[in-house]
Amino acid sequence: MRTMSPTKILRVGDHAPLFTLLDHQERKIKLADQLKKNIVILFFYPGDMTPGCTMQLCAVRDDWTKFKRRQTAVFGINHGDAASHGVFAKKYAFPFPLLIDKNKKISKKYGAIKRIFNAEVIKRSVVVIDKNGKIIYLQRGMPKNSDIL
């Protein structure tokens, strides 16, 4: 398994750090398995049921046919638990899993963390990974889906 130094800043062209996380239905999701068949898009977002995160993930849901046409595997990631993610996913009918990064370990590996006072919070980030495990798009903030696709 590839490991990344916690101080390394990921860039387009770098290998994506591999991970295994549970989704909101407590299914084990391995990035390596997803790469065998798809382009993978990771949406790191700060919190379930917050206005900006809801808007961003609902936009993905609304463009779902475009994502499927490109044969992408899409995942939302934050530190929320299965119950929180499950309520969020059900309320907004997300057709993609929400992954549980309980200790923000994966968010840190992807550079999707910022400090606010003494707290570490997830920084909104979008990462697209090709079938070879290389990052082909990385954007902090909330890019338009048309920029990603």
Side-chain angles (χ1 to χ4, degrees):
M1 184 162 121
R2 294 180 290 255
T3 59
M4 302 294 297
S5 162
T7 59
K8 179 170 175 28
I9 297 172
L10 288 177
R11 291 182 170 44
V12 170
D14 289 345
H15 279 281
L18 296 176
F19 62 81
T20 301
L21 292 173
L22 293 178
D23 73 3
H24 66 280
Q25 295 179 333
E26 299 188 11
R27 296 175 297 198
K28 194 179 286 188
I29 304 294
K30 294 182 179 182
L31 178 60
D33 291 344
Q34 299 301 314
L35 294 174
K36 294 176 185 174
K37 56 188 173 186
N38 293 304
I39 290 174
V40 176
I41 304 176
L42 306 176
F43 288 89
F44 291 91
Y45 66 101
D48 294 339
M49 307 298 255
T50 59
C53 299
T54 299
M55 183 174 68
Q56 182 179 29
L57 295 182
C58 284
V60 173
R61 178 204 61 205
D62 295 346
D63 284 341
W64 190 243
T65 56
K66 294 175 188 173
F67 284 96
K68 292 311 291 177
R69 198 173 332 155
R70 295 279 316 266
Q71 299 180 335
T72 59
V74 175
F75 301 97
I77 302 177
N78 84 5
H79 60 287
D81 61 20
S84 174
H85 281 355
V87 168
F88 190 37
K90 184 176 181 179
K91 180 174 182 174
Y92 293 101
F94 296 143
F96 50 88
L98 301 180
L99 304 182
I100 303 162
D101 187 14
K102 182 179 178 180
N103 297 316
K104 303 175 188 164
K105 182 177 175 183
I106 303 308
S107 299
K108 288 176 187 175
K109 286 185 178 186
Y110 278 85
I113 291 288
K114 63 182 176 182
R115 293 196 67 77
I116 297 180
F117 301 106
N118 289 331
E120 287 183 331
V121 297
I122 294 181
K123 180 179 3 177
R124 191 178 313 283
S125 304
V126 179
V127 181
V128 181
I129 306 163
D130 72 11
K131 293 180 181 185
N132 298 314
K134 287 199 174 181
I135 296 172
I136 58 173
Y137 179 90
L138 190 150
Q139 181 67 47
R140 306 298 177 195
M142 194 182 310
K144 295 177 187 172
N145 289 338
S146 59
D147 294 341
I148 300 165
L149 297 168

